[in-house]
Coordinates of all heavy atoms in Angstrom, one line a residue:
M1 N -10.0 -4.9 -12.2 CA -9.2 -4.2 -11.1 C -8.2 -5.2 -10.6 O -8.5 -6.4 -10.3 CB -10.2 -3.8 -9.9 CG -9.5 -3.0 -8.8 SD -10.6 -2.7 -7.5 CE -11.8 -1.6 -8.3
S2 N -6.9 -4.8 -10.5 CA -5.8 -5.7 -10.1 C -5.9 -5.9 -8.6 O -6.3 -5.0 -7.8 CB -4.5 -5.1 -10.5 OG -4.2 -4.0 -9.8
R3 N -5.5 -7.1 -8.2 CA -5.5 -7.3 -6.7 C -4.1 -7.0 -6.1 O -3.3 -7.8 -5.8 CB -5.8 -8.8 -6.5 CG -7.1 -9.2 -6.9 CD -7.4 -10.7 -6.7 NE -8.6 -11.1 -7.4 CZ -9.8 -11.2 -6.7 NH1 -9.9 -10.9 -5.5 NH2 -10.8 -11.6 -7.4
R4 N -3.9 -5.7 -6.1 CA -2.6 -5.1 -5.6 C -2.9 -3.9 -4.7 O -3.6 -3.0 -5.1 CB -1.7 -4.7 -6.8 CG -0.4 -4.4 -6.5 CD 0.6 -4.5 -7.7 NE 0.8 -5.8 -8.3 CZ 1.6 -6.7 -7.8 NH1 2.4 -6.4 -6.7 NH2 1.7 -7.9 -8.3
C5 N -2.1 -3.9 -3.6 CA -2.3 -2.8 -2.7 C -1.6 -1.6 -3.4 O -0.5 -1.6 -4.0 CB -1.5 -3.1 -1.4 SG -1.5 -1.7 -0.2
E6 N -2.3 -0.4 -3.2 CA -1.8 0.8 -3.9 C -0.7 1.5 -3.1 O 0.0 2.3 -3.7 CB -3.0 1.8 -4.0 CG -4.0 1.3 -5.0 CD -5.0 2.4 -5.4 OE1 -4.6 3.3 -6.3 OE2 -6.1 2.4 -4.9
L7 N -0.5 1.1 -1.9 CA 0.6 1.8 -1.1 C 1.8 0.8 -0.9 O 2.9 1.3 -0.9 CB 0.0 2.1 0.3 CG -1.1 3.2 0.3 CD1 -1.5 3.5 1.8 CD2 -0.6 4.5 -0.4
T8 N 1.6 -0.5 -0.7 CA 2.8 -1.3 -0.5 C 3.1 -2.3 -1.6 O 4.1 -3.0 -1.6 CB 2.5 -2.3 0.8 OG1 1.3 -3.0 0.6 CG2 2.3 -1.4 2.0
A9 N 2.3 -2.3 -2.7 CA 2.4 -3.1 -3.9 C 2.4 -4.6 -3.6 O 2.9 -5.4 -4.3 CB 3.8 -2.8 -4.6
K10 N 1.7 -4.9 -2.5 CA 1.5 -6.4 -2.1 C 0.5 -7.0 -3.2 O -0.5 -6.3 -3.5 CB 0.9 -6.6 -0.8 CG 1.8 -6.5 0.3 CD 1.2 -6.8 1.6 CE 2.2 -6.8 2.7 NZ 2.1 -7.8 3.7
G11 N 0.8 -8.1 -3.7 CA -0.1 -8.7 -4.7 C -0.3 -10.2 -4.4 O 0.2 -10.7 -3.4
P12 N -0.9 -11.0 -5.3 CA -1.2 -12.4 -5.0 C 0.1 -13.2 -5.1 O 1.0 -12.9 -5.8 CB -2.1 -12.8 -6.1 CG -2.4 -11.6 -7.0 CD -1.6 -10.5 -6.4
Q13 N 0.1 -14.2 -4.3 CA 1.3 -15.1 -4.3 C 0.8 -16.5 -4.7 O -0.4 -16.8 -4.5 CB 1.9 -15.3 -2.9 CG 2.6 -14.0 -2.4 CD 3.2 -14.2 -1.1 OE1 2.7 -14.9 -0.2 NE2 4.4 -13.5 -0.9
V14 N 1.6 -17.4 -5.2 CA 1.2 -18.7 -5.7 C 1.8 -19.7 -4.7 O 3.0 -19.6 -4.3 CB 1.7 -18.9 -7.1 CG1 1.3 -20.3 -7.6 CG2 1.2 -17.8 -8.0
G15 N 1.1 -20.8 -4.4 CA 1.5 -21.8 -3.6 C 0.7 -23.1 -3.9 O 0.1 -23.2 -4.9
H16 N 0.8 -24.0 -3.0 CA 0.1 -25.3 -3.1 C -0.9 -25.5 -2.1 O -0.7 -25.1 -0.9 CB 1.1 -26.5 -3.0 CG 2.0 -26.6 -4.2 ND1 3.3 -26.3 -4.2 CD2 1.7 -27.1 -5.5 CE1 3.9 -26.5 -5.4 NE2 2.9 -27.0 -6.2
K17 N -2.0 -26.1 -2.5 CA -3.1 -26.5 -1.5 C -2.7 -28.0 -1.3 O -2.5 -28.8 -2.3 CB -4.4 -26.4 -2.2 CG -5.5 -26.9 -1.4 CD -6.8 -26.7 -2.2 CE -8.0 -27.1 -1.4 NZ -9.2 -26.8 -2.1
V18 N -2.4 -28.4 -0.1 CA -2.0 -29.8 0.2 C -3.1 -30.5 0.8 O -3.6 -30.2 1.9 CB -0.7 -29.8 1.0 CG1 -0.2 -31.2 1.3 CG2 0.4 -28.9 0.4
S19 N -3.5 -31.6 0.2 CA -4.6 -32.4 0.8 C -4.1 -33.4 1.9 O -2.9 -33.5 2.1 CB -5.3 -33.2 -0.3 OG -4.4 -34.2 -0.8
H20 N -5.0 -34.0 2.5 CA -4.7 -35.0 3.5 C -3.8 -36.1 2.9 O -2.9 -36.6 3.6 CB -6.0 -35.6 4.2 CG -5.7 -36.6 5.2 ND1 -5.2 -36.2 6.4 CD2 -5.9 -38.0 5.2 CE1 -5.0 -37.4 7.1 NE2 -5.5 -38.4 6.4
S21 N -4.0 -36.5 1.7 CA -3.2 -37.5 1.0 C -2.0 -36.9 0.4 O -1.3 -37.6 -0.4 CB -4.1 -38.2 0.0 OG -4.5 -37.3 -1.0
N22 N -1.7 -35.7 0.7 CA -0.4 -35.0 0.3 C -0.4 -34.7 -1.2 O 0.7 -34.6 -1.9 CB 0.8 -35.8 0.7 CG 2.0 -34.8 0.9 OD1 1.8 -33.6 1.2 ND2 3.2 -35.4 0.8
I23 N -1.6 -34.6 -1.9 CA -1.6 -34.2 -3.3 C -1.6 -32.7 -3.3 O -2.3 -32.0 -2.6 CB -3.0 -34.7 -3.9 CG1 -3.0 -36.2 -4.0 CG2 -3.1 -34.1 -5.3 CD1 -4.3 -36.8 -4.3
K24 N -0.7 -32.2 -4.2 CA -0.5 -30.7 -4.2 C -1.1 -30.1 -5.5 O -0.8 -30.6 -6.6 CB 1.0 -30.4 -4.2 CG 1.7 -30.8 -2.9 CD 3.2 -30.8 -3.0 CE 3.8 -31.3 -1.7 NZ 3.6 -32.7 -1.5
T25 N -2.0 -29.1 -5.3 CA -2.6 -28.5 -6.4 C -2.3 -27.0 -6.3 O -2.3 -26.5 -5.1 CB -4.1 -28.7 -6.5 OG1 -4.7 -28.4 -5.2 CG2 -4.4 -30.2 -6.8
K26 N -2.2 -26.3 -7.4 CA -1.9 -24.9 -7.3 C -3.0 -24.0 -6.8 O -4.1 -24.4 -7.0 CB -1.6 -24.3 -8.8 CG -0.3 -24.8 -9.4 CD 0.8 -23.8 -9.0 CE 2.0 -24.1 -9.8 NZ 3.0 -23.1 -9.6
R27 N -2.7 -23.0 -6.0 CA -3.7 -22.1 -5.5 C -3.0 -20.7 -5.4 O -1.8 -20.6 -5.5 CB -4.3 -22.5 -4.2 CG -3.2 -22.5 -3.0 CD -3.8 -22.5 -1.7 NE -4.4 -21.1 -1.5 CZ -4.8 -20.8 -0.3 NH1 -4.9 -21.6 0.7 NH2 -5.2 -19.5 -0.1
R28 N -3.9 -19.7 -5.2 CA -3.4 -18.3 -5.1 C -3.7 -17.8 -3.7 O -4.8 -18.0 -3.2 CB -4.0 -17.4 -6.1 CG -3.6 -17.7 -7.5 CD -4.3 -16.9 -8.5 NE -4.0 -15.4 -8.3 CZ -4.6 -14.4 -8.9 NH1 -5.6 -14.6 -9.7 NH2 -4.2 -13.2 -8.7
F29 N -2.7 -17.1 -3.1 CA -2.9 -16.5 -1.8 C -3.1 -15.0 -2.1 O -2.2 -14.3 -2.5 CB -1.7 -16.7 -0.9 CG -1.5 -18.1 -0.4 CD1 -0.7 -18.9 -1.2 CD2 -2.1 -18.6 0.7 CE1 -0.4 -20.2 -0.8 CE2 -1.9 -19.9 1.1 CZ -1.0 -20.7 0.4
L30 N -4.3 -14.5 -1.9 CA -4.7 -13.1 -2.2 C -4.5 -12.2 -1.0 O -4.8 -12.6 0.1 CB -6.1 -13.0 -2.7 CG -6.5 -13.9 -3.9 CD1 -8.0 -13.8 -4.2 CD2 -5.7 -13.4 -5.1
P31 N -4.0 -11.0 -1.3 CA -3.8 -10.0 -0.2 C -5.2 -9.6 0.4 O -6.2 -9.6 -0.4 CB -3.1 -8.9 -0.8 CG -3.4 -8.9 -2.2 CD -3.6 -10.4 -2.5
N32 N -5.2 -9.2 1.6 CA -6.5 -8.8 2.2 C -6.6 -7.3 1.9 O -6.1 -6.4 2.6 CB -6.4 -9.0 3.8 CG -7.7 -8.7 4.5 OD1 -8.7 -8.5 3.8 ND2 -7.6 -8.8 5.8
L33 N -7.4 -7.0 0.8 CA -7.6 -5.7 0.4 C -8.9 -5.1 0.8 O -9.9 -5.8 0.8 CB -7.5 -5.6 -1.2 CG -6.1 -6.0 -1.8 CD1 -6.2 -5.9 -3.2 CD2 -5.0 -5.1 -1.3
C34 N -8.9 -3.8 1.1 CA -10.2 -3.1 1.4 C -10.1 -1.7 0.9 O -9.1 -1.1 0.8 CB -10.5 -3.1 2.9 SG -9.2 -2.6 3.9
N35 N -11.3 -1.2 0.5 CA -11.4 0.2 0.0 C -11.5 1.1 1.2 O -12.3 0.9 2.1 CB -12.7 0.4 -0.8 CG -12.6 -0.4 -2.1 OD1 -11.5 -0.4 -2.8 ND2 -13.7 -1.1 -2.4
V36 N -10.6 2.1 1.3 CA -10.5 2.9 2.5 C -10.5 4.4 2.1 O -9.9 4.7 1.0 CB -9.2 2.6 3.3 CG1 -9.1 3.5 4.5 CG2 -9.1 1.2 3.7
T37 N -11.1 5.3 2.8 CA -11.1 6.7 2.6 C -10.1 7.3 3.6 O -10.4 7.3 4.8 CB -12.5 7.3 2.7 OG1 -13.3 6.7 1.8 CG2 -12.4 8.8 2.4
F38 N -9.0 7.9 3.1 CA -8.0 8.5 4.0 C -8.3 10.0 4.0 O -8.8 10.5 3.0 CB -6.6 8.3 3.5 CG -6.1 6.9 3.7 CD1 -6.0 6.0 2.6 CD2 -5.8 6.3 5.0 CE1 -5.6 4.7 2.7 CE2 -5.4 5.0 5.1 CZ -5.2 4.3 4.0
I39 N -7.9 10.7 5.0 CA -8.0 12.2 5.1 C -6.6 12.8 4.9 O -5.8 12.5 5.8 CB -8.7 12.6 6.4 CG1 -10.1 12.0 6.5 CG2 -8.8 14.1 6.5 CD1 -10.8 12.2 7.9
S40 N -6.4 13.5 3.9 CA -5.1 14.2 3.7 C -5.2 15.6 4.3 O -6.0 16.4 3.9 CB -4.8 14.3 2.3 OG -3.6 15.1 2.1
D41 N -4.4 15.9 5.4 CA -4.4 17.1 6.0 C -3.7 18.2 5.1 O -4.2 19.3 5.1 CB -3.6 17.1 7.4 CG -4.3 16.1 8.4 OD1 -5.5 16.1 8.3 OD2 -3.6 15.5 9.2
A42 N -2.7 17.8 4.4 CA -2.0 18.8 3.6 C -2.9 19.2 2.4 O -2.9 20.4 2.1 CB -0.7 18.2 3.0
L43 N -3.6 18.3 1.8 CA -4.4 18.6 0.6 C -5.8 19.1 1.0 O -6.5 19.8 0.2 CB -4.5 17.4 -0.3 CG -3.2 16.8 -0.9 CD1 -3.5 15.6 -1.7 CD2 -2.5 17.8 -1.7
G44 N -6.2 18.8 2.2 CA -7.5 19.2 2.8 C -8.7 18.5 2.0 O -9.7 19.1 1.8
R45 N -8.5 17.2 1.7 CA -9.5 16.5 1.1 C -9.4 15.0 1.4 O -8.4 14.6 1.9 CB -9.5 16.7 -0.5 CG -8.3 16.2 -1.1 CD -8.4 16.4 -2.7 NE -7.1 16.0 -3.3 CZ -7.0 14.9 -4.0 NH1 -8.0 14.1 -4.1 NH2 -5.9 14.6 -4.6
N46 N -10.4 14.3 1.0 CA -10.4 12.8 1.2 C -9.9 12.1 0.0 O -10.0 12.6 -1.1 CB -11.8 12.3 1.5 CG -12.4 12.8 2.8 OD1 -11.7 13.3 3.7 ND2 -13.8 12.8 2.9
V47 N -9.2 11.0 0.3 CA -8.6 10.2 -0.8 C -9.0 8.7 -0.6 O -8.8 8.2 0.5 CB -7.0 10.3 -0.7 CG1 -6.4 9.5 -1.8 CG2 -6.6 11.7 -0.8
R48 N -9.6 8.2 -1.7 CA -10.0 6.8 -1.7 C -8.9 5.9 -2.3 O -8.6 6.2 -3.4 CB -11.3 6.6 -2.4 CG -12.5 7.3 -1.6 CD -13.8 6.7 -2.1 NE -13.9 5.3 -1.7 CZ -14.8 4.5 -2.2 NH1 -15.6 4.8 -3.1 NH2 -14.8 3.2 -1.7
L49 N -8.5 4.9 -1.6 CA -7.4 4.0 -2.1 C -7.9 2.6 -1.7 O -8.6 2.3 -0.8 CB -6.1 4.3 -1.5 CG -5.4 5.6 -1.8 CD1 -4.2 5.8 -1.0 CD2 -5.1 5.7 -3.3
R50 N -7.4 1.6 -2.5 CA -7.6 0.2 -2.2 C -6.3 -0.3 -1.6 O -5.3 -0.5 -2.4 CB -7.9 -0.5 -3.5 CG -8.4 -2.0 -3.3 CD -9.1 -2.5 -4.5 NE -9.8 -3.7 -4.1 CZ -9.7 -4.8 -4.9 NH1 -9.0 -4.8 -6.0 NH2 -10.4 -5.9 -4.5
V51 N -6.3 -0.6 -0.4 CA -5.0 -0.9 0.3 C -5.2 -2.3 1.1 O -6.3 -2.6 1.5 CB -4.6 0.2 1.3 CG1 -4.3 1.5 0.6 CG2 -5.6 0.4 2.4
S52 N -4.1 -2.9 1.5 CA -4.1 -4.0 2.3 C -4.3 -3.6 3.8 O -4.0 -2.5 4.1 CB -2.9 -4.8 2.2 OG -1.7 -4.1 2.6
T53 N -4.8 -4.5 4.6 CA -4.9 -4.2 6.0 C -3.7 -3.9 6.6 O -3.6 -3.1 7.6 CB -5.7 -5.3 6.7 OG1 -5.1 -6.6 6.5 CG2 -7.2 -5.4 6.2
N54 N -2.6 -4.6 6.2 CA -1.2 -4.3 6.7 C -0.8 -2.9 6.4 O -0.2 -2.2 7.2 CB -0.2 -5.3 6.0 CG 1.1 -5.1 6.6 OD1 1.3 -5.0 7.8 ND2 2.1 -5.2 5.7
A55 N -1.1 -2.3 5.2 CA -0.8 -1.0 4.9 C -1.6 0.0 5.7 O -1.1 1.1 6.1 CB -1.0 -0.7 3.4
L56 N -2.8 -0.4 5.9 CA -3.7 0.5 6.8 C -3.1 0.7 8.2 O -3.1 1.8 8.7 CB -5.1 -0.2 6.9 CG -6.2 0.6 7.5 CD1 -6.4 1.9 6.7 CD2 -7.5 -0.3 7.4
K57 N -2.6 -0.4 8.7 CA -1.9 -0.4 10.0 C -0.6 0.5 10.0 O -0.3 1.2 10.9 CB -1.6 -1.8 10.4 CG -1.1 -2.0 11.9 CD -1.0 -3.5 12.1 CE -0.4 -3.7 13.5 NZ -0.2 -5.1 13.8
S58 N 0.1 0.4 8.9 CA 1.4 1.1 8.7 C 1.0 2.7 8.5 O 1.8 3.4 9.1 CB 2.1 0.7 7.4 OG 2.5 -0.6 7.5
V59 N 0.0 3.0 7.9 CA -0.4 4.4 7.7 C -0.7 5.0 9.1 O -0.3 6.0 9.4 CB -1.6 4.6 6.7 CG1 -2.2 6.0 6.8 CG2 -1.1 4.3 5.3
D60 N -1.5 4.2 9.9 CA -1.9 4.6 11.2 C -0.6 4.8 12.1 O -0.5 5.7 12.8 CB -2.8 3.6 11.8 CG -3.5 4.1 13.1 OD1 -3.8 5.4 13.2 OD2 -3.7 3.4 14.0
H61 N 0.3 3.8 12.0 CA 1.5 3.8 12.8 C 2.4 5.1 12.5 O 3.1 5.6 13.3 CB 2.3 2.5 12.6 CG 3.6 2.5 13.4 ND1 3.5 2.2 14.7 CD2 4.9 2.6 13.0 CE1 4.8 2.2 15.2 NE2 5.6 2.4 14.1
N62 N 2.5 5.5 11.2 CA 3.4 6.6 10.7 C 2.8 7.9 11.0 O 3.3 8.9 10.6 CB 3.7 6.4 9.3 CG 4.9 5.3 9.1 OD1 5.8 5.3 9.9 ND2 4.7 4.5 8.2
G63 N 1.5 8.0 11.4 CA 0.9 9.3 11.7 C 0.0 9.9 10.6 O 0.1 11.1 10.5
G64 N -0.6 9.0 9.8 CA -1.5 9.5 8.8 C -1.0 9.3 7.4 O 0.2 9.0 7.2
L65 N -1.8 9.6 6.4 CA -1.5 9.4 5.0 C -0.4 10.2 4.5 O 0.5 9.8 3.8 CB -2.7 9.6 4.1 CG -2.6 9.4 2.7 CD1 -2.3 7.9 2.4 CD2 -3.8 9.9 1.9
D66 N -0.4 11.5 4.9 CA 0.7 12.5 4.4 C 2.0 12.0 4.9 O 3.0 11.9 4.1 CB 0.4 13.9 5.0 CG -1.0 14.4 4.5 OD1 -1.5 13.9 3.5 OD2 -1.5 15.3 5.1
A67 N 2.2 11.7 6.1 CA 3.5 11.2 6.7 C 3.9 9.9 6.0 O 5.1 9.7 5.7 CB 3.4 11.1 8.2
Y68 N 3.0 9.0 5.8 CA 3.3 7.7 5.2 C 3.8 7.9 3.7 O 4.8 7.4 3.3 CB 2.1 6.8 5.2 CG 2.5 5.4 4.6 CD1 3.1 4.4 5.3 CD2 2.2 5.2 3.3 CE1 3.3 3.2 4.8 CE2 2.5 4.0 2.7 CZ 3.0 3.0 3.5 OH 3.3 1.8 2.9
L69 N 3.1 8.7 3.0 CA 3.5 8.9 1.6 C 4.8 9.7 1.4 O 5.5 9.4 0.5 CB 2.4 9.6 0.8 CG 1.1 8.8 0.5 CD1 0.1 9.7 -0.2 CD2 1.4 7.6 -0.4
L70 N 5.1 10.6 2.3 CA 6.3 11.3 2.2 C 7.5 10.3 2.5 O 8.6 10.5 1.9 CB 6.4 12.5 3.2 CG 5.5 13.7 2.9 CD1 5.5 14.7 3.9 CD2 5.9 14.3 1.5
K71 N 7.3 9.4 3.3 CA 8.4 8.4 3.6 C 8.5 7.2 2.6 O 9.5 6.6 2.5 CB 8.2 7.7 5.0 CG 8.5 8.7 6.2 CD 8.3 8.0 7.4 CE 8.4 8.9 8.6 NZ 8.1 8.2 9.9
A72 N 7.4 6.9 1.9 CA 7.3 5.8 1.0 C 8.1 5.9 -0.2 O 8.3 7.0 -0.7 CB 5.8 5.5 0.6
R73 N 8.7 4.8 -0.7 CA 9.4 4.8 -1.9 C 8.5 4.9 -3.1 O 7.5 4.2 -3.1 CB 10.3 3.5 -2.0 CG 11.4 3.5 -1.0 CD 12.3 2.3 -1.0 NE 12.3 1.6 -2.3 CZ 12.5 0.3 -2.5 NH1 12.7 -0.5 -1.5 NH2 12.6 -0.2 -3.8
A74 N 8.9 5.6 -4.1 CA 8.0 5.8 -5.3 C 7.8 4.5 -6.0 O 6.8 4.3 -6.7 CB 8.6 6.8 -6.2
A75 N 8.8 3.6 -6.0 CA 8.7 2.3 -6.7 C 7.5 1.4 -6.2 O 6.9 0.7 -7.0 CB 9.9 1.5 -6.6
N76 N 7.2 1.6 -5.0 CA 6.1 0.7 -4.4 C 4.7 1.3 -4.6 O 3.7 0.6 -4.5 CB 6.3 0.6 -2.8 CG 7.5 -0.3 -2.5 OD1 8.0 -1.0 -3.4 ND2 7.9 -0.2 -1.3
L77 N 4.6 2.6 -4.9 CA 3.3 3.2 -5.0 C 2.6 3.0 -6.3 O 3.3 3.0 -7.4 CB 3.4 4.7 -4.7 CG 4.0 5.1 -3.3 CD1 4.2 6.6 -3.2 CD2 3.1 4.6 -2.2
S78 N 1.3 3.0 -6.3 CA 0.6 2.9 -7.6 C 0.6 4.3 -8.3 O 1.0 5.3 -7.6 CB -0.9 2.6 -7.3 OG -1.5 3.6 -6.7
P79 N 0.2 4.4 -9.5 CA 0.3 5.8 -10.2 C -0.6 6.8 -9.5 O -0.3 7.9 -9.3 CB -0.2 5.5 -11.6 CG 0.1 4.0 -11.8 CD 0.0 3.4 -10.5
R80 N -1.8 6.4 -9.0 CA -2.7 7.3 -8.2 C -2.0 7.8 -6.9 O -2.1 9.0 -6.6 CB -4.0 6.6 -7.9 CG -4.9 6.6 -9.1 CD -6.3 5.9 -8.8 NE -6.9 6.6 -7.7 CZ -7.6 6.0 -6.7 NH1 -7.8 4.8 -6.7 NH2 -8.2 6.7 -5.8
A81 N -1.4 6.8 -6.2 CA -0.8 7.2 -4.9 C 0.4 8.1 -5.2 O 0.7 8.9 -4.4 CB -0.4 5.9 -4.2
L82 N 1.1 7.8 -6.3 CA 2.3 8.6 -6.6 C 1.9 10.1 -6.9 O 2.5 11.0 -6.6 CB 3.0 8.0 -7.8 CG 4.4 8.5 -8.1 CD1 5.3 8.3 -6.9 CD2 5.0 7.7 -9.2
E83 N 0.8 10.2 -7.6 CA 0.2 11.5 -7.9 C -0.1 12.3 -6.6 O 0.1 13.5 -6.5 CB -1.1 11.3 -8.7 CG -1.3 12.3 -9.8 CD -2.6 11.9 -10.6 OE1 -2.5 11.0 -11.5 OE2 -3.7 12.4 -10.2
I84 N -0.8 11.6 -5.7 CA -1.1 12.2 -4.4 C 0.1 12.6 -3.7 O 0.2 13.6 -3.0 CB -2.0 11.2 -3.5 CG1 -3.3 11.0 -4.3 CG2 -2.2 11.7 -2.1 CD1 -4.0 9.8 -3.7
K85 N 1.2 11.7 -3.7 CA 2.5 12.0 -3.0 C 3.1 13.3 -3.6 O 3.6 14.1 -2.8 CB 3.5 10.8 -3.2 CG 4.8 11.1 -2.6 CD 5.8 9.9 -2.7 CE 7.1 10.3 -2.3 NZ 7.9 9.2 -1.8
R86 N 3.1 13.4 -4.9 CA 3.7 14.6 -5.5 C 2.9 15.9 -5.1 O 3.5 16.9 -4.9 CB 3.7 14.5 -7.0 CG 4.8 13.5 -7.4 CD 4.9 13.4 -9.0 NE 5.9 12.4 -9.3 CZ 5.6 11.4 -10.2 NH1 4.5 11.4 -10.8 NH2 6.6 10.5 -10.5
A87 N 1.6 15.8 -5.0 CA 0.7 16.9 -4.7 C 1.1 17.3 -3.2 O 1.1 18.5 -2.9 CB -0.7 16.6 -4.8
I88 N 1.2 16.3 -2.3 CA 1.6 16.6 -0.9 C 3.0 17.2 -0.8 O 3.2 18.2 -0.1 CB 1.5 15.3 -0.1 CG1 0.1 14.9 0.1 CG2 2.1 15.6 1.3 CD1 -0.1 13.5 0.7
E89 N 3.9 16.7 -1.6 CA 5.3 17.3 -1.6 C 5.3 18.8 -2.1 O 6.0 19.6 -1.5 CB 6.2 16.4 -2.4 CG 6.7 15.2 -1.8 CD 7.5 14.4 -2.7 OE1 7.6 14.6 -3.9 OE2 8.2 13.4 -2.2
K90 N 4.4 19.0 -3.1 CA 4.4 20.4 -3.6 C 3.7 21.3 -2.6 O 4.1 22.5 -2.4 CB 3.5 20.4 -4.9 CG 3.5 21.7 -5.6 CD 2.5 21.7 -6.8 CE 3.2 21.0 -8.0 NZ 2.4 21.1 -9.2
K91 N 2.7 20.8 -1.8 CA 2.0 21.6 -0.8 C 2.9 21.9 0.4 O 3.0 23.0 0.9 CB 0.7 20.9 -0.5 CG -0.3 21.8 0.1 CD -1.1 22.5 -0.9 CE -2.4 22.9 -0.4 NZ -3.2 23.5 -1.4
V92 N 3.5 20.8 0.9 CA 4.3 20.9 2.2 C 5.7 21.3 1.9 O 6.3 21.9 2.7 CB 4.2 19.5 2.9 CG1 5.0 19.5 4.1 CG2 2.7 19.2 3.2
G93 N 6.3 20.8 0.8 CA 7.7 21.0 0.6 C 8.4 19.7 0.8 O 7.9 18.9 1.6
K94 N 9.4 19.5 0.1 CA 10.1 18.2 0.2 C 10.7 18.0 1.5 O 11.3 19.0 2.1 CB 11.2 18.1 -0.9 CG 10.7 18.0 -2.3 CD 11.6 17.2 -3.2 CE 11.0 17.2 -4.6 NZ 11.1 16.0 -5.2
P95 N 10.7 16.7 2.1 CA 11.3 16.5 3.4 C 12.8 16.6 3.3 O 13.4 16.2 2.3 CB 10.8 15.1 3.8 CG 10.5 14.5 2.5 CD 10.0 15.6 1.5
A96 N 13.4 17.1 4.3 CA 14.9 17.2 4.3 C 15.5 15.9 4.5 O 15.0 15.0 5.2 CB 15.3 18.1 5.5
P97 N 16.5 15.6 3.7 CA 17.1 14.2 3.9 C 17.8 14.1 5.2 O 18.4 15.0 5.7 CB 18.2 14.2 2.7 CG 18.5 15.7 2.4 CD 17.2 16.4 2.7
V98 N 17.6 12.8 5.7 CA 18.1 12.6 7.1 C 19.6 12.2 7.0 O 19.9 11.3 6.2 CB 17.3 11.4 7.7 CG1 17.9 11.1 9.1 CG2 15.8 11.8 7.8
A99 N 20.4 12.9 7.7 CA 21.9 12.6 7.7 C 22.1 11.4 8.6 O 21.6 11.4 9.8 CB 22.7 13.8 8.1
K100 N 22.8 10.5 8.1 CA 23.2 9.3 9.0 C 24.4 9.6 9.9 O 25.4 10.1 9.4 CB 23.5 8.1 8.1 CG 22.3 7.6 7.4 CD 22.6 6.3 6.6 CE 21.4 5.8 5.9 NZ 21.6 4.7 5.1
A101 N 24.3 9.3 11.2 CA 25.4 9.5 12.1 C 26.3 8.3 12.0 O 25.8 7.2 12.1 CB 24.8 9.7 13.5
S102 N 27.6 8.6 12.0 CA 28.5 7.4 11.8 C 29.2 7.2 13.1 O 29.2 7.9 14.1 CB 29.5 7.6 10.7 OG 30.1 9.0 10.9

């Protein structure tokens, strides 16, 4: 299983562990991932995803999984999340594009 968030595409980063004597050795900074069950109102079912805690906070801030996925860019989503997004769009209808005021 890859250590990548299914909603935000956050993955491991590489850096240095620096000792007291300033010796640098390679290490990995892993994202804080957790298995979460979201409730999709549009689909009327539960969806299990492996997401970062930051994404969990973003989903809550945007008003639920459906609203978050409709706003999310397809490039950031995992294939499973993209499948769910398409199912939600089919059920709800595509969101109208927002016109920018100049």
Side-chain angles (χ1 to χ4, degrees):
M1 186 183 293
S2 67
R3 296 176 190 266
R4 189 162 294 278
C5 175
E6 294 193 77
L7 296 180
T8 59
K10 281 186 177 218
Q13 293 181 326
V14 179
H16 287 108
K17 179 180 184 177
V18 181
S19 68
H20 179 69
S21 62
N22 208 24
I23 296 171
K24 293 164 185 73
T25 53
K26 286 272 193 173
R27 66 159 286 189
R28 292 176 65 188
F29 294 92
L30 300 175
N32 187 7
L33 297 178
C34 51
N35 295 316
V36 182
T37 303
F38 292 107
I39 299 168
S40 173
D41 296 328
L43 301 177
R45 65 182 176 100
N46 294 340
V47 178
R48 291 198 68 197
L49 295 172
R50 190 163 191 228
V51 298
S52 64
T53 53
N54 183 40
L56 192 58
K57 192 174 176 183
S58 298
V59 168
D60 191 37
H61 180 76
N62 281 315
L65 180 68
D66 299 342
Y68 179 84
L69 284 175
L70 288 175
K71 288 181 186 176
R73 290 179 29 208
N76 290 343
L77 299 175
S78 71
R80 281 184 56 217
L82 198 54
E83 222 174 271
I84 296 164
K85 176 180 175 149
R86 288 187 183 128
I88 291 170
E89 284 177 343
K90 186 184 279 188
K91 200 84 157 183
V92 176
K94 292 211 182 223
V98 178
K100 293 183 181 180
S102 50

